[in-house]
Amino acid sequence: MTVRVLYFHQYFSTPAGSVGIRSYEMARCLIGRGHEVTIVCGGYRGAVTGVTTPFARGMRRGIVDGIDVIEFDYPYANSLSFVQRTLGFMKYAWRGIGVALYESYDVLLATSTPLTVGIPAMAGRWLRGKHMVFEVRDLWPELPKAMGVIKNPLVLSMIGALEWMSYHSAHRLIGLAPGMVDGIARRRIARARITMIPNGCDRELFATDESAWRPDAIPPGALLAVFAGTHGPANGLSAVLDAAAVLKQRGREDIYILLIGDGKLKPELQARAENEGLTNVVFHAPVSKSRLGQLMKATDVGLQILRNVPAFYYGTSPNKFFDYITAGVPVLCNYPGWVSDMLSDYQCGFSVAPDDPEMFADTLEKAANDRAVLKRMRTSIPQLASKFDRTVLANQFVDWLEASRHADGTPNGAGAASPANPGEPAAPRAQVDTRGFGLCQL
């Protein structure tokens, strides 16, 4: 039976953009399984929604690859101030309430961040009695509190209340990483109502016949380590510049680091690199997913970098990591946790201690001195990537959403789980290998 899904994701993008496309892939799978999808989004730097008609009264709408896309004219960027970002979140949530109250649909699906996507979803859940699925991409307020981004206890309490209400309003929930699942459960949500569906590998997206490329500033034959992602406070890219400084002191002119992307701290990072003469660090603007796939063909090491915040260890599902292994690129991870565990289990990358530039530099030197190590790692990567096939994960996602319609009207009750198979998708097509996940099972 066809299910009409109203999908709230403020940062939606098609593959033509340079940001994550999880919602696009999940929507396409829903459509492929015979359902109808309306995505409600806002503007986001690096995103391409595919809707090209002019905005009218702050909104435009169009069909993109079979997806009905509603886009609000509320542009967002990581570089905006906290107040500007908050206003953007609230404007989106307010307009989203109107869509939730008047649009025709069967199931509400809201994916955070920002956490405020839960507001219009709850409006549809409680005012119209619709079934609600809530997907957690980041734990709030745990992560901003751990990072010191938000310190005001009143603000943290308000965010915590919104988190609690969003979780308890949902009939079913999805976490993208082991720590997210545990974080949801700590809010007194029955484990039977939670599943983990991590980010995945879009093999077709990176299966390009076009030639590999490197920026002109990278000499032929040099070892190229690439970070492809946001240059923001959470990413801790100062650790990369610290390692670059060590390599510079050692005279390793055959090792280059490419930072590709955008973000709030990019100007600061560029200024530091220039002031310290770090000519072994090259900055590049964001590129589309297809262009990134071509770059990955010429990349020796993918950099999975985050600030040394324990909440990140098991609480993130980084898109860039899955992009690297999709392309068959060995990964260097600078923090412990489930990603580091998988690199060790499958022998397809390097793990270095947080805040240790000497070890970071040593590892890149090891890779440059012994390219055979990288070659051996590349042969192991497909086995790991196959465990995160986006097609398999997307079908699990659809199974979970379809089963949510069988939940009863008490989101936190025992009856909220699928009676046929509590806590699992209604018709599982495959299981992700949980070796190295550490904290939970799918």
Side-chain angles (χ1 to χ4, degrees):
M1 182 175 67
T2 298
V3 178
R4 296 168 299 173
V5 180
L6 185 61
Y7 199 154
F8 287 97
H9 183 203
Q10 190 162 350
Y11 306 151
F12 170 77
S13 179
T14 68
S18 60
V19 297
I21 58 169
R22 177 185 175 93
S23 294
Y24 172 85
E25 295 287 356
M26 298 308 178
R28 289 289 299 155
C29 188
L30 281 162
I31 292 168
R33 294 269 293 269
H35 305 306
E36 299 175 3
V37 181
T38 298
I39 281 187
V40 185
C41 64
Y44 184 51
R45 182 176 293 176
V48 176
T49 66
V51 184
T52 58
T53 55
F55 286 98
R57 297 182 179 178
M59 188 186 85
R60 61 184 178 182
R61 187 169 190 167
I63 303 297
V64 180
D65 295 339
I67 308 167
D68 182 13
V69 179
I70 298 174
E71 181 183 356
F72 298 139
D73 189 17
Y74 299 138
Y76 173 88
N78 181 266
S79 58
L80 296 175
S81 69
F82 176 77
V83 173
Q84 289 174 319
R85 293 198 301 272
T86 301
L87 287 174
F89 297 156
M90 297 310 298
K91 288 179 180 178
Y92 170 88
W94 178 251
R95 290 291 297 268
I97 290 174
V99 176
L101 293 181
Y102 297 107
E103 194 72 19
S104 178
Y105 59 94
D106 303 305
V107 174
L108 284 156
L109 173 58
T111 180
S112 69
T113 57
L115 185 60
T116 43
V117 297
I119 295 174
M122 286 188 287
R125 163 69 183 99
W126 294 112
L127 297 179
R128 296 187 64 186
K130 300 294 185 178
H131 284 259
M132 174 180 167
V133 177
F134 194 76
E135 182 178 73
V136 179
R137 300 193 185 204
D138 285 308
L139 290 175
W140 282 65
E142 290 90 335
L143 285 183
K145 181 179 180 181
M147 291 174 57
V149 175
I150 301 176
K151 299 178 181 179
N152 187 306
L154 178 60
V155 174
L156 289 170
S157 296
M158 292 172 63
I159 296 173
L162 178 57
E163 177 194 46
W164 190 95
M165 290 188 293
S166 297
Y167 293 177
H168 283 265
S169 294
H171 292 84
R172 289 197 167 198
L173 298 101
I174 300 169
L176 272 65
M180 295 183 199
V181 171
D182 282 355
I184 296 168
R186 283 195 298 270
R187 302 298 270 174
R188 298 185 179 181
I189 302 296
R191 290 267 179 176
R193 291 174 48 218
I194 314 167
T195 194
M196 188 176 90
I197 304 176
N199 281 319
C201 298
D202 298 299
R203 297 184 179 189
E204 293 184 4
L205 191 63
F206 279 4
T208 174
D209 294 329
E210 297 184 35
S211 301
W213 70 278
R214 288 183 169 190
D216 294 337
I218 309 295
L223 180 97
L224 177 59
V226 174
F227 173 88
T230 303
H231 298 24
N235 304 99
L237 293 180
S238 58
V240 176
L241 299 194
D242 292 342
V246 173
L247 292 169
K248 185 80 173 178
Q249 292 170 0
R250 296 177 182 178
R252 292 306 302 253
E253 297 181 358
D254 59 330
I255 301 174
Y256 276 74
I257 297 171
L258 174 63
L259 302 180
I260 187 164
D262 206 349
K264 184 177 182 178
L265 298 185
K266 185 169 183 176
E268 180 181 316
L269 294 165
Q270 290 175 307
R272 177 188 164 186
E274 184 176 356
N275 291 337
E276 296 183 15
L278 300 180
T279 55
N280 53 350
V281 178
V282 177
F283 293 87
H284 197 285
V287 297
S288 68
K289 285 288 185 178
S290 60
R291 185 75 169 148
L292 180 62
Q294 295 170 257
L295 172 65
M296 288 294 105
K297 285 185 174 183
T299 298
D300 298 301
V301 178
L303 299 177
Q304 176 52 46
I305 310 298
L306 282 175
R307 271 180 60 182
N308 185 21
V309 177
F312 285 152
Y313 296 173
Y314 290 91
T316 60
S317 185
N319 276 306
K320 62 185 72 63
F321 168 72
F322 295 103
D323 285 345
Y324 299 149
I325 64 173
T326 301
V329 177
V331 181
L332 185 156
C333 181
N334 77 329
Y335 59 93
W338 75 302
V339 170
S340 181
D341 291 345
M342 287 187 287
L343 293 177
S344 175
D345 289 343
Y346 287 88
Q347 299 182 358
C348 58
F350 310 93
S351 296
V352 302
D355 304 321
D356 190 338
E358 296 286 340
M359 185 178 183
F360 198 135
D362 290 344
T363 302
L364 289 178
E365 283 195 288
K366 177 183 177 181
N369 295 339
D370 187 359
R371 300 297 181 95
V373 170
L374 298 179
K375 187 175 181 180
R376 288 196 298 271
M377 288 180 174
R378 286 182 181 274
T379 63
S380 302
I381 292 172
Q383 183 184 4
L384 175 58
S386 68
K387 308 301 181 184
F388 295 94
D389 188 297
R390 178 80 88 184
T391 301
V392 174
L393 296 175
N395 275 295
Q396 290 181 351
F397 181 95
V398 178
D399 291 339
W400 189 249
L401 186 140
E402 288 175 343
S404 73
R405 296 204 68 200
H406 302 298
D408 65 20
T410 56
N412 203 29
S418 171
N421 192 7
E424 296 294 337
R429 283 157 170 72
Q431 288 294 323
V432 173
D433 187 342
T434 57
R435 181 169 34 151
F437 281 11
L439 295 183
C440 76
Q441 301 293 319
L442 286 183

